[in-house]
Amino acid sequence: MALTAPQIMVRAASAQIATASEVGNPGFCTFKLGDFQVTTILDGGRPSEGPHPTFGEDQEAGAVAELMEANFLPADQFVNGFAPVVIDTGSEKILFDTGLGEGGRANGLGLLRERMQAAGHQPDEIDVVVLTHFHGDHIGGLMEAGAPAFANARYVAGQAEYDFWTAPERAEGQTANAAKAVEANVVPLAENMTFLADGDEVASGINAVAAFGHTPGHLAFSVESGGRRLMLTADTSNHYVASLMRPDWHVRFDMDKEMAVETRKRIFDQIATERIPFIGYHMPFPAVGFVEKIDLGYRYVPATYQFDL
Ligand SMILES: [Zn+2]
C-alpha cells in the first residue's frame, strides 16, 4: 500500500484538527487490488462530542465511556472522517460518494475535489459516480457552483434509496432537510442515472449488496479483480470501536435501528469469515482494514502492507 495517511492531530485545547496540508501530507491513499487501482480520499475530519449518544443511543453513557477508555479513546470527543473512493478499473474511473462538497468548506471539509486531483484523478475524468445512499455527507459534492461537479459522469444509485427520498411525504417532518438536499443535488442528475437492486453490476467485478437499515436503500459494494476481493461497506458501521465491537448498539443516524444491526452483523460476519479487506466511509483514514470476529462483535485491524505483496 502506497500509504500516505494523514497524521490527524486533535489539539486538546481547541478540539480542532489539523488539515492534511498543515501536516504536510496529501490526504489520499492508493493501492492495487488485482487489476484495479483503488484510492481512498479524505474529504475531511470533523471533531465533535461523543461518541455517546450518537453511538450506543440505547446504552448508558458509562458503558460507552468504558469501551472507549479500554480502547485508548476519549469518552467525550471523537473525530468522524469521510472517505470517498475512486476505483480505476483500467477502462473506467468510478467514484463512490462525493463528500460534503461546498457546504463543508467553511469547516475544513469538502476537500475531495482538490485531493482527488492531487491523487491523479481530475473531476472531469470520472466516468461513473456511485451513490451508496443519499445522506448529505455522501451527496454534498455532486454539485459545484450550481453545476454537476463531475461533468462527464453518469450516475448509479439504489432504486429503493431514490424512491424513498423522492416520495412526496419526505418533504415534511424529520426527513424534510435531507429531502431538500436530494432535490437540489440528486434529482437534477436523475435522467443520467441508473438504478440498482441487490446484486446488480456497476462494472465488471463491482456489484451492489443490499445493506438496508442505515437508510432504506443503503448499498454496500463487492469488488473483485484478478482474484482479489474487497467490500465497500459505506455506512454499514460508522465507528471502528463503538459500532464494530458492539454491532448491537443503536446508532442515531441509522434510520431503522434494528435492521441496521442485522445488516451490520450479516455484512461483517461475511467479511470476517472470508478474511477480505473492506473500506468503510467513516473508518479511521485511510479507511481500509479487516475485521476479526470476537466475543460481542468485531475487532478492527487497520490495513498496512497487505496490498503491496
Ligand atoms: Zn455517512
Side-chain angles (χ1 to χ4, degrees), residues 46-59:
R46 182 166 65 196
S48 61
E49 289 178 11
H52 189 268
T54 301
F55 294 89
E57 191 181 37
D58 59 339
Q59 303 295 313

Side-chain angles (χ1 to χ4, degrees), residues 5-303:
Q7 306 298 304
I8 297 175
M9 304 189 311
V10 179
R11 295 186 200 119
S14 65
Q16 294 220 322
I17 77 165
T19 65
S21 58
E22 283 176 298
V23 295
N25 63 64
F28 64 83
C29 165
T30 297
F31 60 92
K32 280 273 185 199
L33 186 85
D35 300 323
F36 292 176
Q37 186 203 58
V38 181
T39 302
T40 64
I41 299 157
L42 184 62
D43 190 60
R46 182 166 65 196
S48 61
E49 289 178 11
H52 189 268
T54 301
F55 294 89
E57 191 181 37
D58 59 339
Q59 303 295 313
E60 297 290 334
V64 181
E66 201 175 302
L67 184 66
M68 291 304 113
E69 278 156 24
N71 287 277
F72 303 89
L73 294 171
D76 56 351
Q77 289 184 88
F78 81 111
V79 176
N80 197 7
F82 306 87
V85 176
V86 175
I87 297 183
D88 185 344
T89 66
S91 52
E92 284 184 310
K93 290 190 178 192
I94 304 173
L95 171 66
F96 293 80
D97 291 330
T98 66
L100 288 106
E102 294 168 313
R105 303 235 171 97
N107 295 315
L109 303 160
L111 302 176
L112 168 66
R113 219 173 153 74
E114 66 177 73
R115 288 181 171 172
M116 67 191 287
Q117 291 176 64
H121 303 298
Q122 302 305 315
D124 62 7
E125 292 172 358
I126 296 297
D127 298 292
V128 187
V129 176
V130 180
L131 301 170
T132 62
H133 65 296
F134 291 177
H135 278 163
D137 52 325
H138 299 255
I139 64 168
L142 280 170
M143 292 287 176
E144 188 75 26
F150 305 98
N152 299 312
R154 64 184 176 86
Y155 302 87
V156 174
Q159 183 74 60
E161 188 74 0
Y162 191 87
D163 292 347
F164 176 81
W165 288 108
T166 55
E169 56 269 36
R170 298 290 105 72
E172 282 162 45
Q174 286 199 333
T175 53
N177 281 344
K180 204 180 281 181
V182 170
E183 183 69 36
N185 279 19
V186 180
V187 172
L189 307 169
E191 61 186 24
N192 201 11
M193 197 170 279
T194 308
F195 297 101
L196 301 178
D198 186 31
D200 285 351
E201 187 177 274
V202 173
S204 180
I206 304 178
N207 292 79
V209 177
F212 306 156
H214 180 67
T215 62
H218 179 263
L219 294 176
F221 289 87
S222 150
V223 180
E224 181 164 6
S225 175
R228 311 250 348 212
R229 294 192 55 211
L230 170 77
M231 188 79 96
L232 302 185
T233 57
D235 282 16
T236 302
S237 176
N238 289 337
H239 190 286
Y240 80 101
V241 171
S243 214
L244 278 177
M245 296 186 86
R246 298 291 183 271
D248 287 303
W249 285 4
H250 285 187
V251 178
R252 181 165 286 176
F253 296 121
D254 290 343
M255 295 178 74
D256 183 329
K257 313 279 186 260
E258 281 304 327
M259 191 187 291
V261 166
E262 279 172 38
T263 295
R264 254 194 298 285
K265 291 178 168 177
R266 171 171 54 87
I267 300 265
F268 284 98
D269 270 1
Q270 184 190 337
I271 290 170
T273 303
E274 297 183 9
R275 297 177 64 84
I276 61 171
F278 77 101
I279 296 174
Y281 192 78
H282 299 288
M283 289 294 116
F285 200 75
V288 193
F290 300 82
V291 283
E292 175 198 14
K293 205 166 188 319
I294 51 168
D295 49 18
L296 300 172
Y298 313 92
R299 179 174 75 95
Y300 182 64
V301 181

